[in-house]
């Protein structure tokens, strides 16, 4: 059963068809009469009448709109939706029914009304009184009641526990189906994204090679320009494949982290030197502190992996910052940790996207025409393997963004042992 809109009852978060099958089985197993109601107190399933008494009442139209049976059940459902607490009612003193909330995701999404069973052995006089209230034939009701065993309170309690277990199991099944559907959808998105991103550089390479083959190969400058362009797309292809491999390693715990004494100053300088040429090409100002004045900034880390993290943050800042923009790197140190912040004046991050920035395959499609959306996910994994944290701030679209990476000066023993 999947969360979705029911054709009759609107978006309830329930697949009523699935619940009809489950409640029909419960009714057959217990011989109780069972109905399900949605958020608008409209009956969505049932009544499932299994016992002879219940079938006789159903044939008499007790649950038709406006009849007493319909009104009693709707009142119980309304009480559930209003209070969230189980309820009970009776017709006369012998014919009893109960209700329990239908909980999905911890929220009341409906009500199950069940029972319509005699708590004790019926009597002709009692059946006559009940029949008058329900508008049915008293003699027929007594003829059916005297042939059936009553359902005392102790047995009804067992049935209630069974029903609550069935509701919980059905909800878990629905959630599992929903997760499988979401995984299937993500798989389709993944395959489409990967195939598109991998095919694009290959298409350009093929086109360049075709042009070279058709030309007279007499213009060295044109050949060199084509080769430079081809090299760029080969590097792009290699980077995409490397991202896929790295992402796979983060998921399986196989991403290698070689902890050793390292210099955060040298790590940052290497990452900055790799990004500055691209920033200068876009006329983006890069503001960095005087790292040499801060000393080595020693820590226990994998310098290659941390350089990968800061290169990713800085290159993203260049990618999303328009020409003549500004990128600033700040460093805060204390005895316990280093905090590196990368701030840009770029396209910013929409509020709805902020919680998902570090989720694999999350991309800002307007500005990120290339890439698989794996870089920040890999960066978070690397930072967390170092015992640190990474977070992002943005005031919204076109308001820039700031990423903060905090790393411990001395690696905690647990992380040291794991490494």
């Amino acid at each position: 059963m999947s969360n979705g809109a029911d054709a009759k009852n609107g978006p309830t978060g329930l697949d009523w068809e699935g619940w009809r099958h489950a409640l029909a089985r419960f009714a057959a197993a217990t011989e109780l009469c069972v109905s399900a109601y949605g958020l608008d107190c409209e009956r969505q399933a049932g009544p499932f009448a299994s016992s002879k008494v219940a079938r006789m009442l159903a044939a008499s139209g007790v649950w038709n709109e406006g009849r007493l049976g319909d009104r009693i059940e709707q009142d119980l459902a309304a009480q559930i939706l209003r209070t969230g607490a189980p309820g009970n009612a009776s017709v006369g003193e012998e014919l009893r029914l109960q209700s329990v909330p239908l909980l999905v995701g911890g929220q009341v999404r409906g009500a199950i009304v069940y029972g319509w069973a005699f708590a004790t052995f019926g009597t002709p006089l009692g059946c006559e009184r009940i029949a008058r209230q329900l508008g049915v034939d008293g003699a027929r009701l007594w003829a059916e009641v005297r042939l059936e065993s009553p359902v005392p309170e102790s047995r009804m309690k067992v049935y209630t526990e069974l029903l609550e277990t069935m509701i919980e199991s059905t909800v878990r099944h629905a959630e599992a189906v929903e997760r499988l559907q979401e995984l299937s959808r993500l798989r389709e998105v993944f395959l489409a994204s990967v195939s598109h991103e991998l095919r694009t550089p290959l298409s350009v390479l093929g086109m360049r090679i075709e042009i070279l083959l058709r030309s007279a190969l007499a213009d060295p400058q044109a050949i060199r320009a084509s080769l430079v362009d081809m090299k760029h797309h080969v590097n792009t292809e290699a980077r995409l494949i490397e991202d896929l491999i790295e992402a796979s390693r983060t998921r399986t715990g196989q991403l290698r982290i070689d902890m050793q004494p390292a210099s955060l100053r040298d790590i940052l300088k290497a990452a900055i030197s790799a990004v500055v040429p691209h920033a200068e090409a876009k006329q983006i100002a890069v503001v960095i502190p005087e790292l040499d004045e801060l000393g080595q900034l020693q820590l226990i880390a994998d310098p290659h992996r941390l350089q990968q993290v800061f290169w990713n943050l800085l290159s993203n800042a260049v990618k999303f910052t328009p020409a003549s923009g500004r990128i600033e790197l700040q460093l805060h140190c204390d005895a316990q940790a280093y905090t590196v912040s990368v701030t840009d004046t770029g396209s910013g991050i929409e509020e709805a996207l902020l919680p998902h920035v570090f989720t694999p395959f999350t991309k800002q499609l307007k500005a990120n025409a290339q890439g698989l959306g794996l870089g920040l996910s890999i960066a978070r994994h690397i930072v967390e393997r170092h015992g640190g944290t990474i977070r992002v701030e943005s005031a919204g679209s076109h308001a820039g963004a700031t990423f903060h990476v905090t790393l411990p000066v001395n690696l905690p023993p647990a992380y040291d042992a794991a490494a």
Side-chain angles (χ1 to χ4, degrees):
M1 275 144 282
S2 61
N3 282 1
D6 184 79
K8 178 180 177 183
N9 202 32
T12 64
L14 297 174
D15 171 12
W16 287 115
E17 189 59 36
W19 283 95
R20 290 183 188 104
H21 291 303
L23 294 176
R25 290 195 298 269
F26 174 77
T30 60
E31 292 196 336
L32 301 178
C33 187
V34 187
S35 298
Y37 288 79
L39 291 175
D40 56 2
C41 287
E42 291 291 328
R43 188 187 298 119
Q44 299 296 322
F48 298 106
S50 296
S51 69
K52 292 182 179 180
V53 171
R55 289 199 296 269
M56 178 260 176
L57 294 176
S60 301
V62 167
W63 292 287
N64 291 349
E65 185 174 359
R67 294 282 296 270
L68 181 61
D70 180 61
R71 294 199 304 272
I72 292 175
E73 288 198 351
Q74 285 198 354
D75 288 344
L76 283 174
Q79 176 185 334
I80 288 278
L81 298 175
R82 186 172 61 252
T83 67
N88 58 77
S90 63
V91 181
E93 295 182 357
E94 299 96 335
L95 189 58
R96 298 179 181 179
L97 62 156
Q98 298 184 184
S99 62
V100 294
L102 203 167
L103 298 174
V104 178
Q107 296 182 337
V108 177
R109 292 291 196 169
I112 307 296
V113 181
Y114 59 102
W116 295 98
F118 278 76
T120 60
F121 286 100
T123 63
L125 185 60
C127 287
E128 186 63 37
R129 287 197 302 267
I130 293 171
R132 283 199 300 271
Q133 293 183 58
L134 294 176
V136 301
D137 184 272
R140 285 189 57 198
L141 179 61
W142 165 242
E144 301 295 351
V145 169
R146 66 192 182 92
L147 298 176
E148 288 194 353
S149 299
V151 181
E153 184 176 348
S154 58
R155 192 192 305 176
M156 184 63 79
K157 182 179 180 181
V158 173
Y159 288 160
T160 298
E161 293 174 352
L162 176 63
L163 177 60
E164 290 173 343
T165 301
M166 188 210 73
I167 292 173
E168 184 179 351
S169 175
T170 305
V171 169
R172 283 202 306 269
H173 177 264
E175 291 172 345
V177 170
E178 185 178 358
R179 283 196 296 271
L180 287 174
Q181 292 173 341
E182 178 64 14
L183 286 173
S184 178
R185 186 190 68 81
L186 288 175
R187 183 189 65 179
E188 297 300 324
V189 172
F190 164 75
L191 291 175
S193 177
V194 169
S195 61
H196 170 75
E197 296 296 343
L198 293 179
R199 190 165 53 240
T200 299
L202 292 176
S203 298
V204 176
L205 282 172
M207 181 183 66
R208 285 290 185 181
I209 293 171
E210 184 69 23
I211 292 174
L212 285 175
L213 291 175
R214 290 184 180 183
S215 67
L217 302 179
D219 187 348
Q221 289 186 347
I223 294 174
R224 182 176 181 82
S226 293
L227 290 174
V228 169
D229 187 63
M230 291 166 65
K231 180 182 178 182
H232 167 73
H233 289 289
V234 168
N235 290 337
T236 299
E237 189 84 4
R239 187 170 65 251
L240 293 173
I241 293 172
E242 184 65 22
D243 279 352
L244 285 171
I245 295 172
E246 296 279 76
S248 174
R249 288 170 176 166
T250 64
R251 301 291 290 180
T252 59
Q254 296 177 337
L255 185 68
R256 185 173 177 82
I257 303 290
D258 295 320
M259 293 298 191
Q260 56 186 278
S263 166
L264 181 59
R265 180 197 65 183
D266 295 342
I267 292 170
L268 291 174
K269 289 174 70 173
I272 292 167
S273 64
V275 171
V276 165
H278 301 286
E280 291 177 346
K282 290 182 67 174
Q283 298 181 331
I284 296 173
V286 180
V287 180
I288 59 176
E290 292 294 337
L291 295 174
D292 289 331
E293 297 180 359
L294 299 175
Q296 287 289 323
L297 303 176
Q298 291 289 337
L299 77 168
I300 304 298
D302 184 328
H304 170 71
R305 291 300 184 186
L306 284 188
Q307 182 180 332
Q308 180 182 349
V309 170
F310 295 118
W311 175 87
N312 185 281
L313 296 181
L314 290 166
S315 61
N316 277 351
V318 172
K319 181 190 301 183
F320 293 112
T321 300
S324 303
R326 174 187 170 96
I327 297 171
E328 182 176 2
L329 185 145
Q330 294 181 320
L331 178 62
H332 301 278
C333 311
D334 59 37
Q336 284 75 39
Y338 303 120
T339 299
V340 180
S341 302
V342 177
T343 303
D344 64 63
T345 58
S347 58
I349 303 172
E350 296 178 2
E351 183 179 357
L353 190 60
L354 274 175
H356 310 289
V357 163
F358 299 103
T359 302
F361 306 108
T362 298
K363 301 197 298 181
Q364 294 197 73
L365 299 178
K366 293 180 181 180
N368 190 5
Q370 296 181 340
L372 296 171
L374 292 170
L376 290 176
S377 171
I378 296 170
R380 180 180 67 174
H381 183 81
I382 293 172
V383 170
E384 289 177 350
R385 285 286 299 274
H386 283 77
T389 61
I390 182 171
R391 60 187 178 89
V392 61
E393 297 174 350
S394 179
S397 184
H398 307 293
T402 300
F403 285 84
H404 303 281
V405 176
T406 300
L407 297 165
V409 173
N410 297 308
L411 199 66
Y415 287 93
D416 194 15

